[in-house]
Amino acid sequence: MAGVLRSRPFPRLTPTGGAERGEDAVADPYWAWKQAGLFLLAIAWITLGLVGHDPWKFDDATAFGVAWEMSQQGDYVVPRLAGEPYLRNPPLVPAIAAATQAILSPPLAPYDAARVAAGFALAVTLLFAALAGGELAGPRVRWPPVLILIGSVGLWDRAHVLSGELGVMAGLAMALYGLALGLRRPVVGGAWLGFGAAVAFLSQGFTGPGWLAVTALVLVALDPRFRRRQYALSCGIALVVVLALGAPWVIALYLRSPALLDTWLASEALPAHLALFGDPSLDPLYHARNLLWFAWPALPLIVWTFWTRGRGFNGGLAQPVVQIPMVLALVIYVNLLLIPEPKLIQALPLLVPCALLASLEVDSLARSFSAALDWFGILTFGLLAMVVWGIWVDARLNGMSPAIAALFRDTEVGFQPTFHLGSVIAAIFLTLLWIALVRPARRSNRRALLNWAAGVTLAWCLYSTIWLPYLDSRRSYRAMIDDLAQHVPAHECLASRNLGDPQRALLYYFAGRKTMREETHANADAQCPALLVQYGAIAAAPKLTGYRIEWQGARRGDATERYVLYVKEETA
């Protein structure tokens, strides 16, 4: 094994901390074509699925609702949702979405134009992950973190919806590049570190900057190279930049309303980010048990990196190339274990340092391991594509069978996907392109990463083309809200109970109806003649004293949510 590792050495680091460009890249006559192909793969993965469907439940609908109100009112200081201040997060992500909406709608629908901001955040993340890899370990390690991120199972559809986590992910990628660059260019590196921290702050508050601050302090204690004046200068510049970029919004919010600032600061209190043991909202095993598939294929490659470097190969573990992403990944992961009410989307920023760690020893990976990953990916995505195409053709011709509906947890059988020529052509083209890409060829470790990323892109392509109408019918609230709007008393206020933020946002967008929430208005039921209640999975709608049931419904095929509209008897 030692002979294998020494026969394929890691790119030699230069005294400045960078790396020399490999002779094989210079001599490769197809180098430019390969770079263009990788670039097109990244563009395809980023853009597929951004447009062509309604806002979907949770973050996508909520962030779009905030962005849409920003574009309508021109207020970028106080985020609003369904007419009420919404200070869960600072306004950067919805502000960018409002800007893309103003530029691209029309011709795009407002929600599609707003979702382009998610593609922008993904592009920034991939770009700076590549720059950080190149700065830490040399030009040969620019593309591996990009391919690992594209192939990450955890990103899947979560990366193509609007969310504050996308902004934090992009900010951490910038900050990692700044930390790496600061070792040889402290001023420029500090500026990028501060800019990344500011992006993370303006996307989701103090969480991202807190991770970076703890990481910077741990690095000082871990390695004497981070106790030099250059590193102190870099951190000082970063602090100035993050204050210069982050403080204006805080000041503007205070000038608008000190009470609103207090509301936001209360949401940023420590218990919102760290739950104590005994807190019923704490589930320390949630992210632990989901990490293996969520961070695939990065996690097994990280294990190989530690196994290889832990035995002293390629400089060992006591190198900034390992320490910087390792410490940040550990800081984020520890916080995720202690976060109250954990959700998978919260782990998106963790994938950036994980991708950098996983990239370090790709070239030294035992050929048997890379071949296993390669063939596993080819077989997995090949069979998946065959199954997805087969189910689609059968559903198109005969309607969805009960067995398939049960597999998809769909309560309605017989669904027939609509036929869109452009989507079918795109799906066929990318399927054939994937077959050509993974054809028998010279196998290598990097080829295994490329094939895996191409397989994920193919799966995402089928998901976001031929199956998009079905998924949109399952996840969109448009039809349900259109039906509900016909039964709501006109020109009367509407009270709501337990109505989620996504539902409030889409009720306002699709039907133009705001709700007076019982959670914030104690006498909402007394002022409004109608009450909209969101239930979970129920067999029958319960009756309420003084009300009659005017309407009830749910999303197509969804048995986990039920909505009931009650109207007061005296108004009937």
Side-chain angles (χ1 to χ4, degrees):
M1 180 65 71
V4 173
L5 291 171
R6 292 191 180 97
S7 66
R8 289 175 290 174
F10 200 70
R12 183 171 65 86
L13 292 177
T14 65
T16 60
E20 296 178 340
R21 180 173 175 170
E23 295 180 1
D24 56 341
V26 176
D28 188 354
Y30 301 105
W31 184 83
W33 287 103
K34 292 179 180 178
Q35 300 302 301
L38 292 170
F39 180 76
L40 289 176
L41 175 68
I43 291 297
W45 177 76
I46 290 171
T47 56
L48 286 169
L50 289 180
V51 299
H53 63 85
D54 289 335
W56 287 347
K57 186 180 177 181
F58 297 128
D59 299 88
D60 192 46
T62 304
F64 166 69
V66 176
W68 185 69
E69 293 202 46
M70 279 186 176
S71 66
Q72 296 297 304
Q73 301 184 13
D75 185 357
Y76 294 85
V77 175
V78 181
R80 295 181 181 275
L81 184 74
E84 298 181 3
Y86 188 79
L87 293 168
R88 297 280 182 90
N89 294 321
L92 180 61
V93 171
I96 296 175
T100 59
Q101 178 183 327
I103 296 170
L104 300 174
S105 175
L108 295 179
Y111 42 82
D112 286 337
R115 209 178 290 116
V116 171
F120 176 72
L122 287 179
V124 170
T125 300
L126 297 185
L127 172 63
F128 280 91
L131 291 174
E135 182 61 33
L136 285 170
R140 284 181 57 82
V141 191
R142 284 177 180 163
W143 275 109
V146 173
L147 294 176
I148 291 171
L149 284 171
I150 291 175
S152 294
V153 178
L155 282 178
W156 190 233
D157 62 334
R158 298 174 189 85
H160 295 81
V161 299
L162 286 170
S163 69
E165 284 77 8
L166 277 186
V168 176
M169 189 168 66
L172 289 188
M174 296 179 190
L176 278 168
Y177 174 61
L179 280 170
L181 187 62
L183 294 174
R184 64 184 183 90
R185 299 179 62 188
V187 175
V188 180
W192 278 117
L193 173 59
F195 190 81
V199 168
F201 168 74
L202 291 172
S203 298
Q204 211 173 39
F206 291 113
T207 304
W211 290 338
L212 292 170
V214 173
T215 298
L217 293 175
V218 173
L219 289 173
V220 171
L222 194 64
D223 194 315
R225 279 170 286 198
F226 294 99
R227 301 172 201 154
R228 299 171 182 171
R229 291 182 178 179
Q230 292 90 335
Y231 182 69
L233 174 62
S234 184
C235 291
I237 292 174
L239 181 60
V240 171
V241 171
V242 72
L243 289 175
L245 296 178
W249 175 73
V250 177
I251 295 172
L253 185 62
Y254 173 78
L255 294 177
R256 181 69 63 83
S257 169
L260 289 178
L261 178 62
D262 291 341
T263 300
W264 173 70
L265 289 175
S267 70
E268 289 291 321
L270 193 60
H273 305 285
L274 288 173
L276 299 177
F277 288 98
D279 188 330
S281 65
L282 178 64
D283 184 2
L285 297 180
Y286 180 84
H287 286 289
R289 62 176 176 263
N290 285 298
L291 186 64
L292 180 60
W293 68 265
F294 191 89
W296 182 275
L299 200 58
L301 295 175
I302 292 173
V303 173
W304 176 259
T305 295
F306 287 146
W307 170 258
T308 303
R309 296 234 171 188
R311 292 180 297 150
F313 291 105
N314 297 329
L317 293 172
Q319 298 291 329
V321 65
V322 179
Q323 293 169 335
I324 291 175
M326 177 186 68
V327 172
L328 180 58
L330 288 175
V331 169
I332 296 173
Y333 183 62
V334 170
N335 188 189
L336 291 176
L337 295 180
L338 300 177
I339 202 165
E341 299 180 358
K343 302 174 184 176
L344 283 174
I345 198 171
Q346 296 164 337
L348 286 188
L350 176 64
L351 296 176
V352 177
C354 284
L356 289 174
L357 276 175
S359 303
L360 299 182
E361 291 299 333
V362 167
D363 291 327
S364 69
L365 187 66
R367 191 58 54 86
S368 59
F369 295 162
S370 66
L373 175 63
D374 195 7
W375 284 109
F376 174 70
I378 292 174
L379 292 174
T380 298
F381 294 111
L383 291 173
L384 179 63
M386 292 173 60
V387 170
V388 169
W389 270 111
I391 294 176
W392 183 83
V393 171
D394 180 66
R396 174 65 188 164
L397 296 177
N398 306 311
M400 184 174 293
S401 67
I404 298 301
L407 178 65
F408 290 168
R409 298 181 179 178
D410 193 340
T411 58
E412 298 183 17
V413 300
F415 180 87
Q416 287 187 294
T418 55
F419 182 89
H420 295 284
L421 181 61
S423 297
V424 174
I425 291 176
I428 293 174
F429 173 75
L430 288 174
T431 302
L432 295 176
L433 186 63
W434 176 81
I435 294 173
L437 180 65
V438 301
R439 72 191 189 284
R442 182 178 66 86
R443 299 297 173 191
S444 67
N445 296 350
R446 291 176 179 242
R447 182 74 182 209
L449 278 185
L450 174 60
N451 286 346
W452 180 270
V456 169
T457 304
L458 171 64
W460 178 244
C461 161
L462 299 178
Y463 179 95
S464 57
T465 53
I466 58 175
W467 278 103
L468 188 60
Y470 170 75
L471 295 164
D472 198 30
S473 73
R474 288 288 311 276
R475 303 181 69 176
S476 172
Y477 287 90
R478 181 193 294 267
M480 185 197 80
I481 291 175
D482 287 344
D483 187 26
L484 165 65
Q486 299 178 19
H487 297 84
V488 177
H491 310 297
E492 298 283 356
C493 74
L494 173 64
S496 66
R497 178 182 301 168
N498 300 327
L499 192 63
D501 292 333
Q503 293 81 0
R504 292 172 53 222
L506 296 181
L507 180 63
Y508 185 40
Y509 175 71
F510 286 129
R513 298 303 301 257
K514 302 176 184 179
T515 64
M516 184 178 291
R517 295 188 295 149
E518 289 186 347
E519 294 80 4
T520 57
H521 297 80
N523 59 344
D525 57 342
Q527 297 185 38
C528 299
L531 172 66
L532 179 62
V533 183
Q534 178 177 341
Y535 294 102
I538 55 175
K543 295 183 178 181
L544 298 182
T545 303
Y547 289 90
R548 62 179 173 83
I549 296 176
E550 176 69 19
W551 171 92
Q552 54 183 311
R555 291 182 300 171
R556 194 201 72 78
D558 184 5
T560 63
E561 297 175 354
R562 194 73 179 170
Y563 301 86
V564 181
L565 176 67
Y566 297 92
V567 176
K568 288 183 178 178
E569 292 286 356
E570 59 268 25
T571 64

